[in-house]
Amino acid sequence: GAVVSQHPSRVICKSGTSVKIECRSLDFQATTMFWYRQFPKQSLMLMATSNEGSKATYEQGVEKDKFLINHASLTLSTLTVTSAHPEDSSFYICSAYAGTGSYEQYFGPGTRLTVT
Amino acid sequence: RKEVEQDPGPFNVPEGATVAFNCTYSNSASQSFFWYRQDCRKEPKLLMSVYSSGNEDGRFTAQLNRASQYISLLIRDSKLSDSATYLCVTQNFGNEKLTFGTGTRLTIIP
């Protein structure tokens, strides 16, 4: 299957700082990428849909000024958590969708963010 | 009410047994359905798609009942490696967004 990478895999930061997470499709061009967040013992919750070259579409309740998404190329999307707080500590997972007739989304390995 | 509901479990099942999971969804616009498995602290991985006619992949059988908005997964001859959280997932037609259930935790006991 197609490969999606995320970097970093784990990050610890201090409250008030910003953290950038990268999501890359390594062997295909992703017209759309998705960003999810998963709290312990809970399911994946979609945060936003990112289309290359256009503004991201955020789900209800997700602050776009706090979670900045940039999808500058067909293989890279970034999520920046600005002014992070301890409640932002979570598992952030991206997925990529080739949109070439296949329904399948390919998930990255996730980034575990801890804000102290 | 959650859009995709699952029994969170945990299900603790002896090795070799058969186990069944159920899932209900509330959005009648849902067109595609999947089961994913997620291991602890890992990303979800697609297990299988679910079709109205029912489909089987080795020891796994998935069924969809559109009238009842109900999806099931059956695992036969369970293995230790089947221990994971199983996520029921729906997708709307023409919209790539996936909606995940909370997941059902399965532990296979030796």
Side-chain angles (χ1 to χ4, degrees):
Chain A
V3 179
V4 175
S5 70
Q6 270 184 253
H7 177 80
S9 58
R10 186 175 297 186
V11 57
I12 300 172
C13 71
K14 292 189 175 179
S15 191
T17 61
S18 295
V19 175
K20 181 186 281 189
I21 303 170
E22 291 186 352
C23 176
R24 291 181 187 272
S25 56
L26 298 185
D27 52 359
F28 68 101
Q29 293 187 325
T31 55
T32 305
M33 288 184 172
F34 301 88
W35 286 97
Y36 297 85
R37 180 168 54 182
Q38 186 176 33
F39 292 109
K41 298 189 187 298
Q42 294 187 27
S43 191
L44 279 76
M45 296 299 296
L46 181 66
M47 299 175 67
T49 303
S50 168
N51 292 299
E52 186 265 339
S54 62
K55 288 184 180 179
T57 302
Y58 289 81
E59 294 298 300
Q60 191 173 10
V62 178
E63 300 174 57
K64 60 182 178 182
D65 294 330
K66 180 169 178 63
F67 298 99
L68 301 178
I69 291 172
N70 186 300
H71 193 157
S73 77
L74 284 171
T75 59
L76 172 64
S77 176
T78 60
L79 167 68
T80 301
V81 183
T82 62
S83 187
H85 289 142
E87 56 265 32
D88 297 325
S89 298
S90 187
F91 191 45
Y92 291 86
I93 309 175
C94 72
S95 71
Y97 176 73
T100 53
S102 167
Y103 56 76
E104 189 167 355
Q105 289 185 23
Y106 301 97
F107 284 83
T111 297
R112 191 159 301 280
L113 170 65
T114 303
V115 184
T116 60
Chain B
R1 183 189 172 187
K2 291 190 174 71
E3 195 168 325
V4 180
E5 298 225 41
Q6 294 181 250
D7 180 345
F11 284 56
N12 297 315
V13 173
E15 192 175 4
T18 295
V19 60
F21 303 137
N22 302 318
C23 165
T24 57
Y25 61 95
S26 59
N27 188 346
S28 57
S30 299
Q31 291 292 322
S32 301
F33 307 89
F34 313 93
W35 284 103
Y36 278 74
R37 71 168 278 168
Q38 185 176 25
D39 294 291
C40 191
R41 294 176 173 267
K42 300 282 189 183
E43 76 276 21
K45 293 187 188 294
L46 179 64
L47 181 64
M48 60 196 303
S49 302
V50 189
Y51 304 114
S52 295
S53 54
N55 49 301
E56 188 174 307
D57 182 1
R59 298 181 292 110
F60 299 85
T61 301
Q63 291 276 357
L64 165 66
N65 183 321
R66 285 187 187 271
S68 304
Q69 297 186 186
Y70 170 96
I71 305 162
S72 66
L73 176 68
L74 184 78
I75 305 175
R76 289 182 299 279
D77 186 24
S78 52
K79 313 287 185 195
L80 295 177
S81 58
D82 294 334
S83 297
T85 295
Y86 289 82
L87 302 166
C88 178
V89 183
T90 66
Q91 184 178 43
N92 291 357
F93 180 76
N95 180 342
E96 311 92 337
K97 185 169 80 169
L98 297 178
T99 302
F100 286 81
T102 358
T104 299
R105 175 81 189 132
L106 171 67
T107 300
I108 304 300
I109 303 165

